[in-house]
Amino acid sequence: MKVYKGWLILLGGLTLAGCNELDQVPEATATKTAVFSSERGLELYANSFYNILPTAGDIIRSDEMADYGARTQVPDFLREGAYSSRQSSGWTWTNLRNINYFLENNNNPAVSADVRRHYTALARFFRAWFYFDKVKRFGDVPWINRTLPVNDEALYAARDPRAVVMDSVLADLNFACANIRTTSDNSRSLITKAVAYGLKSRVCLFEGTFRKYNTSYQQAGTANQWLTEAVSASDWVMKNGGFSLNQSQGTDLSYRQLFISKTPVTSEVMLSAVADANLSVFNDANWWWTSATYGARLSLIRTFVNTYLNIDGTPFTSTAGYQTKPFVEEVKNRDKRLQQTIRMGNHQRTNAGAVEAAPPVFSYTYTGYQPIKWALDDVYYDGGTRNDNSISTMRYAEILLNYAEAKAELGTLTDADWANTVGALRKRAGITSGLTNRPTTVDTYLQTNYFPGIADPSLLEIRRERGIELVFEGFRFYDLVRWHRGDLLMMPWNGFYVPAIDQPMDLNGDGKNDVYFYKDKPVTPSLAGVTYINVAPTVNGVVNPQRLKNDTSGELTWLTNVPRIWTDKNYLYPIPETDRQANPNLGQNPGW
């Protein structure tokens, strides 16, 4: 199976009817014999489960709402009175019925018990994935482990407690880990035993830390059980998965290669939404990341960029005068993942065969920190759904970080653990010190700005590392949720430092000016290749969202005039109103 999305089940005349809501459950119209009497039938049915996985487009957009990103508009979810149960979505159950129907009917003795057990394990893997998504979003949800006829009372039952559902998710994952037979897949598009353990690692870390830090849930006493499960699942992948960190392109490119390669980098990528030109399966990463209107113009903020270490392993914020370093200087001699994440330094792009310097472009960024992580370097890809790079869904680096964080939370992290996880990731990024021993000193900048409640230097550094290594891969929002740090989503959207208005700036050190900030635009702008940005308080009588912190100098700011709000209710989404009307017993999440 080359691409894990978009598969249809067409087995003779087989169709499996689904439902969009729990209260709309049509009967299946297939005969069981056509599917469940052969291994091939089970395999084809199981292909439909892959629709649960995120698409490439889902992944490249998945950090639209993150503390480290400024974007065109403030999300409604963070605006006072702009989001309610009427806007909420995600209460869909079609995929669950498809899985449960399979589990109920995969019992034909014409297929060997071992084969049936493997496909049952696959189905339970996907059920765990399905429910993990639901619990993250809504908390308590109905646990449904069978197909429901249209008159079943369970369609109108109350939600089950989160703890009950997550215990069932863990049981599904344990069964999947024990019984999935597939141990290798060079396409990186199939669920293997290692991927099952990888998902268990992810789920258990989330649940353990959620229970520990979200004290209103009153399950902190069970957190360590989940963290211990996260350690054991991660350890299995590390010892048995056969994966390693990609080192094939040295410290300057090995990291970014993971995100722009046409085929998954199999040493590190465990699961991927695979592009395939022969099947016309592409994605729109370039269009989304390099368009003034199509995407969100998502840009890193300076507070987060400041967390990238110096190449010698020291905090950048320990450098004298870091606050007023211009962009071209502040990005030098840093963790080499920075140059593989944003446009900076000698970054180049290809245009009709010609290689050109490519500094940040203020048509596409509000802060100056313009991402390149998922975007290809040929402008050909910028104008539509043309990208042929495969988009990773799970990779080995995440497992290392899960292991390190869970052990740190349990108080069992050793120097050897550090060296094999965070140290290995930083070594790949070119960092030269602090690779073999746990840190002993708290970085006060990181602690003050992000995690004031954390005093353990190792845990602080693991959280730094997770943010940097997994940036724009879709983890950040729910990392903040499980750490109970959603208030970071109210962090100011700041950009690079501008020494003064009315002075052109060279952003990549090539001797050519790139951007000019002004309050009163020159009558005849004469600087070729320069983008002119108005930072006056108002433009044509309307508040200007793009300003400088000190009016005529300082950090760029964006949308400071639009407040963002986070309260405890935001840790869960509301149950959609239409679904509550159909089943009032669902209730509503607190505050909504």
Side-chain angles (χ1 to χ4, degrees):
M1 181 173 173
K2 294 284 290 180
V3 184
Y4 70 47
K5 292 296 293 181
W7 281 75
L8 301 175
I9 304 175
L10 299 173
L11 307 177
L14 171 61
T15 58
L16 293 177
C19 62
N20 287 327
E21 308 296 341
L22 264 179
D23 62 324
Q24 299 173 345
V25 190
E27 297 289 339
T29 59
T31 60
K32 291 187 289 185
T33 305
V35 183
F36 296 103
S37 60
S38 71
E39 181 172 359
R40 178 60 174 162
L42 299 182
E43 179 186 6
L44 289 172
Y45 192 123
N47 284 341
S48 70
F49 301 153
Y50 285 79
N51 288 324
I52 288 174
L53 299 180
T55 66
D58 294 334
I59 297 166
I60 63 175
R61 294 162 170 78
S62 56
D63 271 339
E64 277 189 283
M65 188 163 61
D67 61 318
Y68 50 49
R71 47 175 280 176
T72 302
Q73 296 177 328
V74 172
D76 284 348
F77 192 71
L78 301 178
R79 295 178 61 194
E80 184 70 32
Y83 195 92
S84 72
S85 60
R86 295 184 182 278
Q87 286 78 42
S88 190
S89 60
W91 196 263
T92 53
W93 301 85
T94 307
N95 289 323
L96 178 62
R97 185 179 193 279
N98 187 41
I99 292 169
N100 284 338
Y101 182 85
F102 181 90
L103 290 170
E104 287 180 342
N105 292 285
N106 182 25
N107 51 22
N108 192 320
V111 182
S112 73
D114 184 53
V115 169
R116 282 185 277 124
R117 190 161 46 247
H118 166 72
Y119 284 100
T120 291
L122 272 180
R124 293 184 70 173
F125 170 91
F126 282 105
R127 186 167 66 183
W129 191 301
F130 173 90
Y131 264 109
F132 180 48
D133 283 346
K134 286 287 183 285
V135 169
K136 284 191 301 180
R137 189 172 180 88
F138 297 113
D140 295 348
V141 294
W143 173 256
I144 307 293
N145 61 359
R146 58 188 176 86
T147 55
L148 302 180
V150 292
N151 59 349
D152 197 299
E153 291 182 358
L155 292 170
Y156 306 100
R159 294 181 284 164
D160 291 303
R162 176 197 187 104
V164 170
V165 177
M166 289 307 296
D167 284 347
S168 298
V169 167
L170 183 57
D172 275 352
L173 286 171
N174 285 336
F175 188 90
C177 291
N179 293 288
I180 288 176
R181 298 184 306 172
T182 307
T183 57
S184 63
D185 166 45
N186 288 333
S187 76
R188 294 302 187 260
S189 64
L190 293 175
I191 304 306
T192 63
K193 186 178 287 288
V195 171
Y197 275 101
L199 180 60
K200 181 180 176 181
S201 164
R202 180 185 295 180
V203 168
C204 292
L205 177 67
F206 178 91
E207 190 64 12
T209 49
F210 182 91
R211 294 185 184 205
K212 180 174 182 176
Y213 293 105
N214 289 265
T215 54
S216 62
Y217 181 52
Q218 299 181 343
Q219 289 285 331
T222 61
N224 283 0
Q225 299 170 26
W226 287 86
L227 293 169
T228 300
E229 292 280 6
V231 170
S232 65
S234 304
D235 185 63
W236 190 97
V237 177
M238 293 163 68
K239 291 178 177 176
N240 302 291
F243 298 100
S244 61
L245 295 177
N246 178 43
Q247 311 275 1
S248 63
Q249 300 296 313
T251 58
D252 287 336
L253 189 57
S254 289
Y255 176 71
R256 189 167 178 235
Q257 184 190 26
L258 295 164
F259 314 109
I260 62 174
S261 176
K262 294 181 186 297
T263 58
V265 179
T266 56
S267 59
E268 182 169 343
V269 174
M270 299 171 64
L271 183 66
S272 182
V274 181
D276 193 320
N278 293 326
L279 296 175
S280 296
V281 177
F282 302 103
N283 67 73
D284 59 353
N286 273 53
W287 195 13
W288 199 83
W289 287 99
T290 60
S291 168
T293 55
Y294 180 65
R297 289 173 66 175
L298 190 62
S299 314
L300 288 180
I301 64 170
R302 196 183 200 207
T303 308
F304 180 76
V305 172
N306 284 344
T307 67
Y308 282 75
L309 298 172
N310 292 322
I311 200 71
D312 64 3
T314 59
F316 170 70
T317 51
S318 67
T319 306
Y322 79 89
Q323 299 95 331
T324 55
K325 279 184 176 289
F327 178 79
V328 70
E329 295 299 325
E330 71 174 338
V331 297
K332 291 179 178 178
N333 300 314
R334 302 284 290 279
D335 177 331
K336 290 192 176 182
R337 284 171 295 193
L338 184 59
Q339 72 186 40
Q340 298 171 73
T341 302
I342 63 169
R343 291 193 183 193
M344 56 167 276
N346 63 356
H347 180 66
Q348 297 176 320
R349 303 198 76 207
T350 302
N351 188 354
V355 178
E356 303 171 342
V361 177
F362 271 81
S363 301
Y364 307 145
T365 179
Y366 297 110
T367 66
Y369 304 111
Q370 182 183 344
I372 60 171
K373 183 165 177 172
W374 294 113
L376 302 177
D377 291 334
D378 193 324
V379 300
Y380 162 80
Y381 298 100
D382 291 358
T385 305
R386 297 179 173 183
N387 280 57
D388 56 2
N389 49 324
S390 293
I391 306 299
S392 60
T393 309
M394 182 184 293
R395 59 190 182 92
Y396 185 57
E398 179 205 344
I399 307 304
L400 297 181
L401 289 165
N402 294 349
Y403 180 83
E405 185 178 346
K407 293 210 74 177
E409 291 285 5
L410 290 167
T412 60
L413 185 76
T414 67
D415 286 342
D417 294 331
W418 176 270
N420 291 331
T421 57
V422 176
L425 290 165
R426 290 184 175 178
K427 183 178 181 180
R428 196 249 301 268
I431 294 172
T432 58
S433 67
L435 307 179
T436 57
N437 298 305
R438 291 167 295 161
T440 57
T441 304
V442 164
D443 177 0
T444 55
Y445 178 91
L446 182 66
Q447 185 184 53
T448 300
N449 285 280
Y450 285 93
F451 309 114
I454 302 298
D456 177 5
S458 294
L459 190 54
L460 280 168
E461 291 302 321
I462 290 165
R463 289 190 181 186
R464 181 207 303 270
E465 190 65 19
R466 185 174 180 91
I468 289 169
E469 177 68 25
L470 301 180
V471 67
F472 298 136
E473 294 182 55
F475 293 94
R476 189 64 171 186
F477 177 81
Y478 281 109
D479 280 348
L480 299 182
V481 166
R482 65 188 178 86
W483 294 330
H484 203 71
R485 293 296 287 133
D487 56 302
L488 289 173
L489 288 158
M490 298 187 290
M491 184 176 288
W493 288 347
N494 58 348
F496 65 50
Y497 179 79
V498 178
I501 61 170
D502 301 327
Q503 294 182 8
M505 296 179 66
D506 175 4
L507 299 182
N508 60 354
D510 65 354
K512 299 178 181 179
N513 291 315
D514 302 301
V515 66
Y516 184 108
F517 297 96
Y518 69 91
K519 293 174 69 176
D520 297 301
K521 190 172 184 177
V523 176
T524 19
S526 58
L527 299 174
V530 172
T531 302
Y532 286 78
I533 303 297
N534 190 342
V535 292
T538 60
V539 178
N540 298 323
V542 178
V543 173
N544 184 3
Q546 184 84 79
R547 300 292 311 284
L548 295 180
K549 186 175 182 179
N550 302 320
D551 190 43
T552 59
S553 67
E555 292 178 344
L556 285 163
T557 64
W558 176 250
L559 280 182
T560 57
N561 59 313
V562 182
R564 280 168 278 142
I565 305 296
W566 182 275
T567 65
D568 277 351
K569 76 175 186 179
N570 293 84
Y571 284 102
L572 294 173
Y573 276 78
I575 308 301
E577 186 63 24
T578 54
D579 298 289
R580 291 183 65 241
Q581 290 172 352
N583 178 11
N585 291 323
L586 292 174
Q588 187 52 280
N589 283 327
W592 292 104

